[in-house]
Amino acid sequence: MSLVELIARADARGLAASGLACLDRCVPLLDGDDEALRPLWATLADGTADAAGRDWAQGLTQVRDKLAGPDATGEDEAVGLARRMLAAAPAECSGPKLRTWADGCSVASLRIHRLLDPAADPAPETDVPRDGGAQGLPPLVAAELRRQVGVLELLAGHGAAGLRPALEVSTEGRRVLRAVVSRRARGRC
């Protein structure tokens, strides 16, 4: 199943985890630590919708305060995309806004990975194709596409029990992106 199909079929927890995982992998661009999004991940593990919704809104406020950065003026495109993912996160962990956010995070994260992939041509304004496989994509972008599909498959197949392995997939991607960002910063010195 393609990434587009998986997003279209995902339930609220899957959508929230998908968007959150995309943002989590991009936290190095926001100078966040590995625990920055932990409050939001914890809300997804809660079994009750009411508590998760209330906790999601509170966690989102904490995360935004923690990752607040300077005004986006003058930031490079990758950082700006990551900031917009966080800013666009809905206060409610349900409804059509959640699906829109998860889809937008998917597109933004793939664009970020294209911008940061030394083997990719960042110039094309077209989005990375999400309705097929990773064949022909630059390595960093292909790996991000596989991670996004993997997170959604884990949640679709295992429900709440898929959260821990989804977080592990996201953690691996964050480490990769942190190394890329670090390498890129050294290259600018």
Side-chain angles (χ1 to χ4, degrees), residues 53-106:
R54 199 172 41 254
D55 292 345
W56 174 268
Q58 291 171 350
L60 185 57
T61 299
Q62 291 172 0
V63 167
R64 283 181 175 149
D65 289 346
K66 187 173 188 175
L67 296 178
D71 187 358
T73 309
E75 287 182 333
D76 75 7
E77 185 179 355
V79 174
L81 286 166
R83 289 211 185 284
R84 284 192 291 280
M85 274 195 280
L86 178 58
E92 291 184 27
C93 194
S94 63
K97 288 182 181 179
L98 186 61
R99 188 171 307 281
T100 300
W101 177 66
D103 192 57
C105 286
S106 170

Side-chain angles (χ1 to χ4, degrees), residues 5-16:
E5 292 169 321
L6 287 166
I7 291 172
R9 293 181 180 197
D11 64 7
R13 180 177 283 150
L15 291 169

Side-chain angles (χ1 to χ4, degrees), residues 13 44-45 155 158-164:
R13 180 177 283 150
L44 297 181
L155 273 291
H158 303 287
L163 283 170
R164 182 171 297 283

Side-chain angles (χ1 to χ4, degrees), residues 4-68:
V4 172
E5 292 169 321
L6 287 166
I7 291 172
R9 293 181 180 197
D11 64 7
R13 180 177 283 150
L15 291 169
S18 176
L20 187 56
C22 288
L23 181 59
D24 198 0
R25 289 188 293 278
C26 296
V27 159
L29 292 167
L30 303 176
D31 295 326
D33 63 34
D34 289 349
E35 300 297 315
L37 299 179
R38 188 65 68 176
L40 294 175
W41 282 108
T43 65
L44 297 181
D46 187 330
T48 65
D50 290 340
R54 199 172 41 254
D55 292 345
W56 174 268
Q58 291 171 350
L60 185 57
T61 299
Q62 291 172 0
V63 167
R64 283 181 175 149
D65 289 346
K66 187 173 188 175
L67 296 178

Side-chain angles (χ1 to χ4, degrees), residues 76 116 118 178-189:
D76 75 7
L116 298 178
R178 191 174 301 284
V180 170
V181 169
S182 176
R183 201 172 316 123
R184 185 177 180 219
R186 284 193 305 269
R188 290 182 180 167
C189 295

